[in-house]
Amino acid sequence: MAYAGVSSAADATEGDRSQTAHRLTYVLLGVLAVAMLASLAIGASGTSLWQALWDVARGAELSLRDRVVLFDIRLPRTLMAAAVGAALAVSGAMMQGLFRNPLADPGLIGVSAGAGFGAIVAIVLGGMLPLALSDALGYCLVPVAAFLGSWATTLILYRVSTRKGRTSVATMLLAGIGLGALTGAVSGILIYIADDAQLRTLTFWGMGSVAGATWSKFWTAVPLIAAAILTIPFIARGLNGLALGEAAASHMGIDVQRTKNVAILAVAAAVGAAVAVSGGIGFVGIVVPHLLRLAVGPDHTYLLRNSALLGAALLLVADIISRMIIAPAELPIGIIMAVIGGPFFLWILLRRRGIVDM
Amino acid sequence: MLKAENITVSFGRREVLHDVSFAAKPGALTAIVGPNGSGKTTLLKAMIGEVAHGGTVRLNDVDIARAKPWELAAMRGVLPQATPLAFPFTVAEVVRLGLMNGTSGGKTQLVPAALARVGLGGYAARYYQELSGGEQQRVQLARVLTQVWEPTQDGAPRWLFLDEPVSALDIGHQLLVMQIARDFADAGGGVVAVMHDLNLTAMYADEVALISDGRVLAQGASEAVFTDDLLSKAYHCRVQVNTTPRSGTFLLPHVAQAGAA
């Protein structure tokens, strides 16, 4: 009786990479810890992390200078780079799962542009808000506006490019270009009418950097990013199901609509927060999930959390390079990521050619 | 029991199913046959809640329009015609997705068992995207089987909905897959399959619904439905039904010269 029971002695885990993916999480935790320590230790000033740690261990008082360098400059910058890296990588992985396409990246298809649009609106027009509202939002105004911008963009993109559970990549990219042109035009008008102080803010913001990290910036971004990361256990299964298409996912018991709603909100929150505090940093969301899929497979249960860890570590390393390469000056981290990510993206395209019809 | 009543489906302004009623029993393999564009796949999709429709569908006395996806997933598995996959999953990882709904939950030993069942033992570590269409279809069948591994649960039948399950397969694997469906029904489960191949249908199905132009032309035991008149009428060509004395099953050679009705 074939259905009575399973007597097969075959290895139940053959071809199943989930255990490897699970173990990789611990490795990546270690990598992230090392990257964070390095980020704390390396900098333009002569302050030595090790000396400071030794001083604290001896019970000696830290100098004011060392305290400022370590706790008010390097620590918020380190934590913010990690948070932004995690946010970008996770949102990339989620978006790819949602659109069922490994090339969907918030930076490429205009979600970051939508977030940037929200941020520009907030910076230029924020002064026109009723005082009570702008007081209540305070530092959060820009991230919240960026979140709304990326949310609207993601929703529109998904609506436009998905028919019957199948996403057309061509439509998605073209819709991204269309939306990008529109938001770019309106952003241009806003920049045109901005005053000098606002222009300064916009310029620094738009350079794509975590150099200006402060605790207040960090704390405005972290709630949104944390919220996005906390959705991982709730949508990982759903995104796995969606890999087979919306109908098949539903037949497997997935609440497809809820998965999509949560994923879109999480992507918008993560991208909005990341763009609001760091400007546009591209390619993290495409490089990190792609490498992880190659290494341990596309199961979102592990892909999403590993993406968070590897994304954080990658951005920390890129930030360290940006500080060292032309020290004491700094190269914007967006340039470093573009130099790494651009060729990587082309490589993915070459690899996919002939395997899958784009 | 599967009971679909007064099913009406329209695509835009065109009505493709007109007030169709259909029933299937557990313990039986019920085939839906009919010419291209007759609405047989649409009927299947209406019964699994994939297309909007008028009328009601009740599966084991549950109104499927009101059931949650996970409740339905515990009752029935659905094999689509083709399933392209977005990411480089291995064969084992695709089949393991069938364990998600919780009723087969965590029983990872079902994965190699299901693969062996569909004749894909040894394929576990291969990449799904690199397989042929027929192999992919059998991987998907293995995934669906892990989802509803036991044909009955707490005395209630479970169901397999198969949309042209053998369309991409060679004859050997056609027989293998039909036998899997047959075994599932014999063990108390219900099977509803959209079929193109009338010979295979005649060999394996207990009940047949013949659809033509969005209506049920006939439903009943396959001997009653597979008659020269009904088939000729449905397929708009002359069809002759023969029986072979050896096995008792009947064959349907394409005897008609085109147009000679």
Side-chain angles (χ1 to χ4, degrees):
Chain A
M1 184 61 239
Y3 285 96
V6 180
S7 58
S8 167
D11 182 5
T13 59
E14 194 200 347
D16 182 351
R17 293 166 285 184
S18 57
Q19 285 312 304
T20 323
H22 180 65
R23 282 194 289 273
L24 183 65
T25 302
Y26 297 107
V27 176
L28 289 174
L29 276 171
V31 171
L32 178 58
V34 171
M36 289 180 96
L37 277 178
S39 172
L40 283 174
I42 296 166
S45 78
T47 301
S48 159
L49 173 68
W50 319 116
Q51 184 63 46
L53 285 176
W54 175 239
D55 285 348
V56 172
R58 280 185 315 163
E61 190 90 339
L62 281 182
S63 73
L64 179 64
R65 192 182 114 84
D66 284 358
R67 248 194 320 210
V68 168
V69 168
L70 284 176
F71 290 109
D72 291 336
I73 297 176
R74 287 192 199 163
L75 188 59
R77 180 171 185 161
T78 299
L79 292 178
M80 206 170 91
V84 166
L88 292 172
V90 166
S91 57
M94 283 181 180
M95 190 136 213
Q96 287 144 26
L98 182 68
F99 281 81
R100 308 184 61 219
N101 193 290
L103 298 180
D105 172 74
L108 283 178
I109 62 174
V111 176
S112 301
F117 173 66
I120 291 173
V121 170
I123 291 171
V124 178
L125 301 180
M128 292 155 100
L129 280 177
L131 209 57
L133 188 60
S134 59
D135 271 1
L137 285 169
Y139 279 117
C140 296
L141 179 62
V142 174
V144 166
F147 160 65
L148 292 176
S150 53
W151 184 45
T153 325
T154 317
L155 268 182
I156 294 171
L157 278 173
Y158 194 83
R159 282 281 160 79
V160 171
S161 59
T162 305
R163 282 270 174 283
K164 294 183 178 173
R166 297 267 296 142
T167 299
S168 153
V169 192
T171 316
M172 176 180 78
L173 290 173
L174 293 173
I177 291 172
L179 279 176
L182 190 65
T183 52
V186 182
S187 301
I189 295 171
L190 289 173
I191 289 169
Y192 191 75
I193 62 167
D195 61 32
D196 282 355
Q198 289 167 345
L199 272 182
R200 263 178 66 85
T201 318
L202 283 175
T203 311
F204 281 112
W205 169 79
M207 282 203 291
S209 165
V210 288
T214 58
W215 283 115
S216 62
K217 266 190 177 180
F218 174 74
W219 287 119
T220 56
V222 151
L224 282 173
I225 294 174
I229 287 175
L230 286 176
T231 65
I232 290 177
F234 301 101
I235 60 169
R237 253 169 40 111
L239 290 178
N240 280 340
L242 276 182
L244 296 167
E246 287 189 19
S250 169
H251 297 320
M252 284 190 288
I254 302 295
D255 187 337
V256 171
Q257 198 53 48
R258 199 188 61 184
T259 302
K260 289 197 302 197
N261 290 344
V262 174
I264 287 175
L265 275 173
V267 167
V271 175
V275 169
V277 295
S278 69
I281 300 175
F283 295 110
V284 181
I286 204 158
V287 171
V288 169
H290 199 86
L291 282 178
L292 288 171
R293 277 193 213 100
L294 276 182
V296 290
D299 185 337
H300 290 85
T301 318
Y302 311 99
L303 177 68
L304 294 175
R305 71 186 198 206
N306 286 342
S307 289
L309 295 171
L310 185 58
L314 176 67
L315 212 67
L316 280 169
V317 171
D319 185 47
I320 292 169
I321 295 173
S322 82
R323 282 185 260 166
M324 289 171 66
I325 200 162
I326 50 167
E330 287 193 15
L331 207 57
I333 193 171
I335 296 177
I336 309 273
M337 275 317 300
V339 167
I340 302 172
F344 186 89
F345 182 65
L346 292 176
W347 174 70
I348 297 176
L349 287 179
L350 279 176
R351 252 177 48 90
R352 283 171 60 84
R353 219 171 43 176
I355 301 177
V356 207
D357 176 28
M358 300 254 305
Chain B
M1 194 70 188
L2 167 70
K3 246 182 146 61
E5 281 173 332
N6 311 111
I7 302 296
T8 304
V9 176
S10 302
F11 293 140
R13 255 182 248 149
R14 201 167 60 86
E15 193 174 278
V16 291
L17 280 183
H18 321 287
D19 199 19
V20 169
S21 292
F22 175 89
K25 294 191 293 276
L29 200 170
T30 307
I32 303 173
V33 299
N36 294 332
S38 58
K40 53 190 190 303
T41 290
T42 305
L43 174 60
L44 188 88
K45 287 191 169 168
M47 292 192 294
I48 57 180
E50 220 174 274
V51 296
H53 58 85
T56 56
V57 180
R58 301 181 73 82
L59 185 64
N60 293 355
D61 267 330
V62 175
D63 183 350
I64 67 149
R66 286 160 201 238
K68 298 287 181 203
W70 50 91
E71 293 165 351
L72 291 173
M75 264 195 300
R76 56 116 170 91
V78 177
L79 179 73
Q81 274 185 33
T83 313
L85 198 54
F87 301 110
F89 284 96
T90 62
V91 166
E93 286 164 351
V94 172
V95 177
R96 196 165 58 96
L97 291 176
L99 298 172
M100 283 200 305
N101 68 67
T103 52
S104 300
K107 294 182 194 155
T108 49
Q109 72 274 18
L110 288 183
V111 173
L115 280 173
R117 190 84 178 88
V118 299
L120 289 174
Y123 277 62
R126 299 266 297 271
Y127 282 105
Y128 177 82
Q129 289 164 328
E130 291 169 4
L131 301 183
S132 74
E135 288 166 335
Q136 289 187 347
Q137 202 166 13
R138 283 185 286 141
V139 173
Q140 294 297 338
L141 177 61
R143 168 180 68 76
V144 173
L145 286 177
T146 62
Q147 185 183 325
V148 288
W149 188 256
E150 304 292 345
T152 60
Q153 191 188 26
D154 304 328
R158 290 166 124 189
W159 296 81
L160 279 177
F161 288 84
L162 312 173
D163 191 359
E164 297 190 16
V166 296
S167 56
L169 305 181
D170 60 70
I171 51 169
H173 287 117
Q174 288 184 341
L175 297 179
L176 174 78
V177 166
M178 291 313 294
Q179 192 57 49
I180 291 173
R182 184 72 257 162
D183 290 346
F184 191 86
D186 288 345
V191 181
V192 179
V194 169
M195 295 290 294
H196 249 309
D197 189 319
L198 298 178
N199 280 311
L200 279 173
T201 308
M203 282 169 71
Y204 286 98
D206 304 297
E207 294 251 330
V208 177
L210 178 61
I211 313 278
S212 181
D213 295 326
R215 293 196 166 77
V216 179
L217 211 57
Q219 182 175 2
S222 53
E223 296 85 349
V225 175
F226 282 1
T227 64
D228 294 0
D229 284 351
L230 277 171
L231 290 178
S232 300
K233 192 175 164 202
Y235 287 88
H236 302 295
C237 70
R238 222 178 96 209
V239 179
Q240 187 179 322
V241 179
N242 300 315
T243 52
T244 60
R246 204 150 46 99
S247 59
T249 54
F250 30 116
L251 298 168
L252 307 160
H254 303 268
V255 287
Q257 298 91 347

